Amino acid sequence: MLANRLKKNSSIGILRHLSQLIIGIFIARELGVDSKGLHFVYTSIAAAIAILGSYGLVNSIVFHSKKGYINIKEMLFYMSLSMLFLLVSLFIFYLFGYSILKGMLFGSAQEQQIITKFFFLYSLSSLLNYFINSFCLAFDKTRLYLFNFAFSSVISLSVVAFGISRYQFDIVDCLIAISLIEVFFGMVSFIFICCFIKLRKNGKKKNLKDVIAYALKGYLGVSGSTVIAHGDTIILSNALEQESLGIYSIAKTLYRLIAIVPQTVNSTIFGVLCEVDIKEAFKIVKRVCLSIMTVFFISMIGAFIVLDELIVMIYGESFSSAFEPSLILMLAGTLMASTAAINPLLLTQNKPFWSSKVTVFSGIVGLLACYILTIYLGLNGAAFSVLISAAITGSMRLFYYKKIQSLNKAQLFYREI
């Protein structure tokens, strides 16, 4: 059962990220390195803002829905609350921070005001899609997940490719098109969930205080993982030229292709771990971690041999310097992926604060390393900072995995006595 879920969800994830990869290739080859850098910053930071602006509520909503603690009306209310938090955050940012940070975000790009308005819209749609995709994976809603997560990307790819080749789309046109398509698919999917999906009830009720308390306990973990994933982008967008960002975006794209596997796996097994006993949960997590580690370390050997020529063949000679940071980030992604399944175990065992401590500590170290190493080593330094953060994350996850095992054994021992 779990294997079938993972196969279906992973294939949808591959379709999504393959489409986004091709969009990036179109932009890189047809519009140039600078445009690729702007596309990278726009999508990366919008995704980061969406997750940070949710204040951990998305994970809490999905958890309480899966456990049967809240009904569909309450879920709608909490999701609206999360959207409101993000709207307020964006409004405050626009009033007090945009004049300072606009150059850092979008460089010298023309039509910055237009880009900013759609950037805020894209951030909101990213939050909505973050919830929808997490919900679909937890409840095994494969068709809706396919529609919202993959089909939307295929449509975006078609519009961008057709627009660039036939109507001379520039990067602003591409970003606007992508934003509007994501908003449309997100709204349709959310309306479908609210109107046609029923949640099972287990007799226990949770109120607003319970949902927010769980959210805040896990928020440091959610925000920390977001900082790890996107913090280097924010630092580099301020420290480097748009051209360098375009080159680094190739490396980060490969990192994300690795990251999508554990993300999809985690969201899928989260629903399963909510339903099984602790012994079975340990077996599932161990099996998943070993499988992912084996696959990706074998892939790293192949990447070392062919990646250099592959980058030049796909993106062009101007992106050849992306090889070294790409290899470093792929290794970082492999380390992160190999222990990623431990995170949903922590959450389902009601240990969101442990997850938070892992990501906050590794995130802080990673950001400091990124700032310092970028000065001395450039793009390779930024990539090494992600590798350092990944190594810390993996080590701490293993520590807490062993700690949960010890606690479980102690509980069984006292029960027997």
Side-chain angles (χ1 to χ4, degrees):
M1 179 181 173
L2 176 59
N4 289 332
R5 279 198 198 182
L6 291 173
K7 286 178 183 178
K8 290 187 294 185
N9 294 333
S10 297
S11 61
I12 293 170
I14 290 171
L15 181 59
R16 161 82 167 187
H17 286 272
L18 182 61
S19 299
Q20 293 185 331
L21 176 65
I22 298 173
I23 288 174
I25 293 171
F26 260 102
I27 291 174
R29 294 188 73 92
E30 301 297 328
L31 302 182
V33 180
D34 287 352
S35 293
K36 182 67 178 75
L38 181 57
H39 171 252
F40 171 61
V41 170
Y42 183 93
T43 53
S44 297
I45 299 183
I49 287 174
I51 297 173
L52 293 173
S54 73
Y55 296 98
L57 272 172
V58 167
N59 285 348
S60 182
I61 294 168
V62 173
F63 173 78
H64 286 87
S65 300
K66 184 67 184 179
K67 287 290 189 179
Y69 297 146
I70 60 176
N71 58 35
I72 199 74
K73 290 182 180 179
E74 290 168 326
M75 188 197 74
L76 175 60
F77 168 73
Y78 295 133
M79 193 58 212
S80 300
L81 190 65
S82 185
M83 297 287 287
L84 179 62
F85 281 158
L86 180 57
L87 273 172
V88 171
S89 302
L90 290 173
F91 182 71
I92 293 172
F93 167 75
Y94 186 78
L95 288 180
F96 301 105
Y98 176 68
S99 60
I100 299 172
L101 297 176
K102 65 180 181 180
M104 185 187 80
L105 290 174
F106 305 125
S108 58
Q110 296 179 350
E111 302 175 313
Q112 279 196 11
Q113 289 295 333
I114 296 176
I115 293 176
T116 301
K117 291 176 182 177
F118 281 92
F119 173 76
F120 290 161
L121 182 65
Y122 187 71
S123 298
L124 285 169
S125 71
S126 296
L127 172 58
L128 191 60
N129 288 324
Y130 172 41
F131 163 74
I132 292 166
N133 296 329
S134 299
F135 183 91
C136 290
L137 288 169
F139 286 88
D140 196 26
K141 302 297 180 183
T142 306
R143 292 180 181 177
L144 185 60
Y145 182 56
L146 173 66
F147 173 80
N148 186 70
F149 195 60
F151 192 55
S152 61
S153 293
V154 173
I155 297 296
S156 293
L157 170 59
S158 302
V159 171
V160 168
F162 191 74
I164 290 175
S165 59
R166 293 293 298 273
Y167 293 101
Q168 288 75 51
F169 270 21
D170 59 15
I171 185 59
V172 176
D173 298 324
C174 293
L175 295 178
I176 290 174
I178 292 169
S179 300
L180 292 176
I181 292 168
E182 290 288 331
V183 168
F184 172 78
F185 277 87
M187 289 301 299
V188 171
S189 300
F190 187 64
I191 291 171
F192 181 87
I193 289 174
C194 294
C195 294
F196 299 105
I197 292 179
K198 294 183 179 180
L199 301 177
R200 66 175 178 84
K201 297 179 181 179
N202 66 1
K204 296 180 180 179
K205 293 286 290 182
K206 298 289 183 178
N207 56 30
L208 178 61
K209 181 180 178 181
D210 297 317
V211 175
I212 292 180
Y214 184 96
L216 293 179
K217 287 179 183 177
Y219 180 61
L220 288 176
V222 173
S223 59
S225 61
T226 304
V227 167
I228 291 172
H230 302 289
D232 55 341
T233 304
I234 299 173
I235 292 174
L236 293 178
S237 64
N238 190 38
L240 301 174
E241 297 295 328
Q242 206 79 43
E243 181 178 352
S244 297
L245 280 171
I247 293 171
Y248 189 71
S249 70
I250 306 304
K252 208 60 190 285
T253 297
L254 295 172
Y255 174 83
R256 288 174 181 169
L257 286 174
I258 294 175
I260 187 57
V261 175
Q263 287 170 6
T264 304
V265 169
N266 287 359
S267 297
T268 302
I269 69 172
F270 177 81
V272 175
L273 295 180
C274 286
E275 301 167 353
V276 301
D277 61 43
I278 186 66
K279 287 186 177 180
E280 184 63 24
F282 281 128
K283 290 179 182 178
I284 291 172
V285 170
K286 184 177 181 180
R287 189 162 61 245
V288 169
C289 287
L290 290 174
S291 299
I292 291 177
M293 181 177 64
T294 302
V295 170
F296 280 125
F297 272 106
I298 292 173
S299 300
M300 279 296 302
I301 298 173
F304 182 78
I305 298 171
V306 303
L307 186 60
D308 193 6
E309 296 179 358
L310 197 62
I311 290 173
V312 174
M313 182 180 71
I314 294 174
Y315 290 97
E317 191 65 39
S318 56
F319 289 91
S320 59
S321 56
F323 170 68
E324 289 183 1
S326 295
L327 207 58
I328 297 168
L329 281 180
M330 287 182 71
L331 179 58
T334 299
L335 290 178
M336 289 284 283
S338 298
T339 57
I342 296 173
N343 196 57
L345 176 67
L346 298 179
L347 296 178
T348 55
Q349 296 305 308
N350 202 21
K351 301 294 183 183
F353 190 62
W354 289 7
S355 173
S356 295
K357 287 195 286 187
V358 172
T359 48
V360 167
F361 180 73
S362 61
I364 290 173
V365 173
L367 283 180
L368 290 174
C370 182
Y371 181 79
I372 295 170
L373 293 178
T374 300
I375 296 174
Y376 295 100
L377 301 175
L379 295 181
N380 287 346
F384 272 121
S385 71
V386 179
L387 180 59
I388 292 170
S389 181
I392 294 172
T393 299
S395 301
M396 293 184 70
R397 281 174 177 167
L398 290 172
F399 170 78
Y400 283 121
Y401 177 82
K402 291 292 185 181
K403 190 171 183 179
I404 288 182
Q405 276 189 323
S406 299
L407 289 174
N408 181 60
K409 289 178 181 178
Q411 289 175 355
L412 290 175
F413 175 75
Y414 286 121
R415 284 176 189 172
E416 291 175 358
I417 294 177

